[in-house]
Structures are given as C-alpha cells and as structure tokens.
Amino acid sequence: GDSVTQTEGPVTVSESESLIINCTYSATSIAYPNLFWYVRYPGEGLQLLLKVITAGQKGSSRGFEATYNKETTSFHLQKASVQESDSAVYYCALGDGATGGNNKLTFGQGTVLSVIP
Amino acid sequence: GPKVLQIPSHQIIDMGQMVTLNCDPVSNHLYFYWYKQILGQQMEFLVNFYNGKVMEKSKLFKDQFSVERPDGSYFTLKIQPTALEDSAVYFCASSFLNYEQYFGPGTRLTVL
C-alpha cells in the first residue's frame, strides 16, 4: 500500500542552525502523487506548510523548502536557519492528484522539532 | 486563515454507548474528511464525503461508523456502539477544490 516514512524524532536543533527532516514515500496505488508538509504548533491544529503537486518542483513557505524527487521518492524538508518559533510537530503527507478535491492523505508518523534558543 | 472547529475537544464514554463527534467545516468547502490517530501512531484516513455521499472509506471505517452533514450544518461522525479500540484523536478536515485540506484541532475520544 501507500506509505510515508519520515525522520524519527525528537529532533533538537539550536537557533540559527540548519535543519533537514527526511521524508520518503511509496505510492504503489497512486499514479500522480501530490506531496505535502503539514505542521502542528503547540496548542494549535494541523496546518499546511507547503505543497508540491508536480515532480521536480520545489515548494517553499516561511523559510522552509522541499523538493519533490520522483527518482528517489523523497520530499525532504529543509530550512537554512531555524528559529525558536519553528518548534512544532512536522508531518509529511502523500495525496492522490488524480482524484482532485477528494484527496485522501497518507501521513508520516510526525517529527517533533525542538529549537533551543 | 480559515478555521475548522471540532466539538467537543474531549469526550469520555463507556464502551457500547453511542458517540457523535461534530465538525464545523470552512463555510464554502465542499469536501469533508475524518482521520483517526491512535496515541503514538500515524494519523490515518477514515472517510471522505461530498455532495451528501461517502466517496471513499478505509478499512478502519467499520460498520459501526457513520457520517452525515444534514442541511449543511455540522459534519458528524457517529460511532454506535463504541469499542475500546475506538479510543483515539479524531480529526476533521474540509477542502474546496484545490487539494488543500484544512484541519480541525481534533476530538480526543476515550472509551472506557
């Protein structure tokens, strides 16, 4: 079946250091995978951080970026310089682009990120 | 940004009873979803719903589960009867047509 695997947390990084959270996917039943990063800040609901629906493209938001690599089936999340406010749980997710709006998502297990000031 | 609300935030119930989880989706959204997350595990898709009908459901969506959105009000997930393995956080989401799902904060269901 379809699956997503991401960096096992928790991840602890000092402020202004770089960050990478790995994400790999397996899309056995999906012809056109869409890839997403969601984030849950403390006390808040899950919110979309960035999305990429075309292989080879890069998405970016709030200083984070991720490139959809079809060859390596990866969608790693990177940031050059993290801030304390980036402390949150990050989820990589896989969707089926062929189904349009009824796009059920397959989630990774989530990676807890703590940024130390 | 757009908000999805879920009521209640926490529900404790005895095994065998019925429970209804309520979701107030974003007002102009057309697609609705429920996901389930057992403590320590991944969030998993349960069901999606459009135009008054279930479009797709996973194997987690047991016969005891049902969803509806009567008269454009709350989108509800009903479990009747509940079982111990139904204890989890249930997340509602809604979307228009642009792939982006907006999630609620979740309802933590504890079945005793």
Side-chain angles (χ1 to χ4, degrees):
Chain A
D2 305 321
S3 65
V4 175
T5 303
Q6 57 184 104
T7 298
E8 190 89 21
V11 172
T12 302
V13 180
S14 296
E15 205 164 28
S16 77
E17 286 191 346
S18 63
L19 168 74
I20 181 165
I21 299 176
N22 291 328
C23 172
T24 56
Y25 67 91
S26 172
T28 56
S29 68
I30 299 174
Y32 304 99
N34 294 164
L35 293 166
F36 306 80
W37 278 101
Y38 278 84
V39 59
R40 179 180 293 130
Y41 296 104
E44 297 185 18
L46 202 63
Q47 55 184 276
L48 181 66
L49 179 61
L50 56 87
K51 65 181 179 185
V52 179
I53 62 174
T54 305
Q57 300 294 311
K58 179 165 69 177
S60 60
S61 173
R62 306 180 210 174
F64 289 90
E65 57 183 36
T67 300
Y68 178 169
N69 189 320
K70 190 176 180 181
E71 285 68 39
T72 60
T73 63
S74 66
F75 191 56
H76 305 320
L77 183 68
Q78 300 183 71
K79 189 171 187 182
S81 176
V82 296
Q83 301 171 321
E84 192 177 356
S85 58
D86 294 326
S87 296
V89 184
Y90 292 81
Y91 295 88
C92 185
L94 168 69
D96 185 349
T99 60
N102 54 331
N103 198 346
K104 68 175 186 180
L105 296 173
T106 300
F107 283 91
Q109 74 272 32
T111 301
V112 176
L113 172 66
S114 296
V115 179
I116 302 172
Chain B
K3 297 278 190 190
V4 174
L5 304 177
Q6 289 188 243
I7 303 158
S9 58
H10 193 177
Q11 178 89 51
I12 301 173
I13 194 166
D14 290 325
M15 184 177 63
Q17 287 192 312
M18 181 194 76
V19 68
T20 300
L21 308 184
N22 298 294
C23 172
D24 188 9
V26 178
S27 60
N28 65 336
H29 282 184
L30 303 175
Y31 293 88
F32 312 103
Y33 316 77
W34 284 103
Y35 292 82
K36 175 183 180 181
Q37 186 173 29
I38 294 173
L39 187 64
Q41 298 184 24
Q42 287 158 265
M43 196 179 324
E44 294 188 89
F45 168 80
L46 278 178
V47 65
N48 57 22
F49 188 85
Y50 168 72
N51 197 26
K53 299 175 194 169
V54 170
M55 301 297 290
E56 186 174 0
K57 56 187 180 182
S58 73
K59 62 182 186 298
L60 297 180
F61 194 80
K62 304 180 299 184
D63 291 343
Q64 297 89 330
F65 288 31
S66 62
V67 291
E68 63 175 356
R69 191 179 186 223
D71 301 323
S73 59
Y74 286 157
F75 175 52
T76 62
L77 173 66
K78 183 185 294 185
I79 308 174
Q80 181 177 28
T82 50
L84 294 177
E85 60 265 27
D86 297 331
S87 293
V89 180
Y90 290 83
F91 293 94
C92 172
S94 69
S95 70
F96 188 57
L97 291 173
N98 60 355
Y99 304 102
E100 180 173 351
Q101 294 182 30
Y102 289 82
F103 284 81
T107 292
R108 180 176 299 278
L109 176 65
T110 302
V111 181
L112 302 177

Coordinates of all heavy atoms in Angstrom, one line a residue, chain B residues 4 27 44 55 83 85 102 109 112:
Chain B
V4 N -11.4 25.3 10.9 CA -12.3 24.2 11.1 C -12.4 24.0 12.6 O -11.4 23.9 13.3 CB -11.8 22.9 10.5 CG1 -12.7 21.7 10.8 CG2 -11.7 23.1 8.9
S27 N -16.7 27.4 5.6 CA -18.1 27.6 5.1 C -18.3 27.3 3.6 O -19.3 26.8 3.3 CB -18.5 29.1 5.4 OG -17.7 30.0 4.7
E44 N -4.5 8.4 10.3 CA -4.9 7.6 9.2 C -6.3 8.0 8.7 O -7.2 8.3 9.5 CB -5.0 6.1 9.6 CG -3.6 5.5 10.0 CD -3.7 4.0 10.2 OE1 -3.6 3.2 9.2 OE2 -3.9 3.6 11.3
M55 N -17.6 9.2 -0.4 CA -16.9 8.9 -1.6 C -15.9 7.7 -1.5 O -15.8 6.9 -2.4 CB -16.0 10.2 -2.0 CG -16.9 11.4 -2.2 SD -18.0 11.3 -3.6 CE -16.9 11.3 -4.9
A83 N -16.3 0.8 20.9 CA -15.4 -0.2 21.4 C -14.2 0.4 21.9 O -13.8 1.5 21.6 CB -15.1 -1.2 20.2
E85 N -11.1 -0.1 21.2 CA -10.2 0.3 20.1 C -10.5 1.6 19.4 O -9.8 2.0 18.5 CB -10.0 -0.8 19.1 CG -11.2 -1.3 18.4 CD -11.9 -2.4 19.0 OE1 -11.8 -2.6 20.3 OE2 -12.6 -3.2 18.3
Y102 N -8.0 21.7 5.2 CA -7.9 22.4 6.5 C -8.4 21.6 7.6 O -9.5 21.0 7.5 CB -8.7 23.7 6.4 CG -8.2 24.7 5.4 CD1 -8.4 24.7 4.1 CD2 -7.4 25.8 5.9 CE1 -7.9 25.6 3.2 CE2 -6.9 26.7 5.0 CZ -7.1 26.6 3.7 OH -6.6 27.5 2.8
L109 N -11.2 11.1 21.9 CA -12.2 10.2 22.4 C -11.6 9.1 23.3 O -10.7 8.4 22.8 CB -12.9 9.5 21.2 CG -14.0 8.5 21.6 CD1 -15.2 9.1 22.3 CD2 -14.5 7.7 20.3
L112 N -14.1 3.8 27.8 CA -13.7 3.1 29.0 C -14.3 1.7 29.0 O -15.4 1.4 28.4 CB -14.2 3.9 30.2 CG -13.6 5.3 30.3 CD1 -14.2 6.0 31.5 CD2 -12.1 5.2 30.4

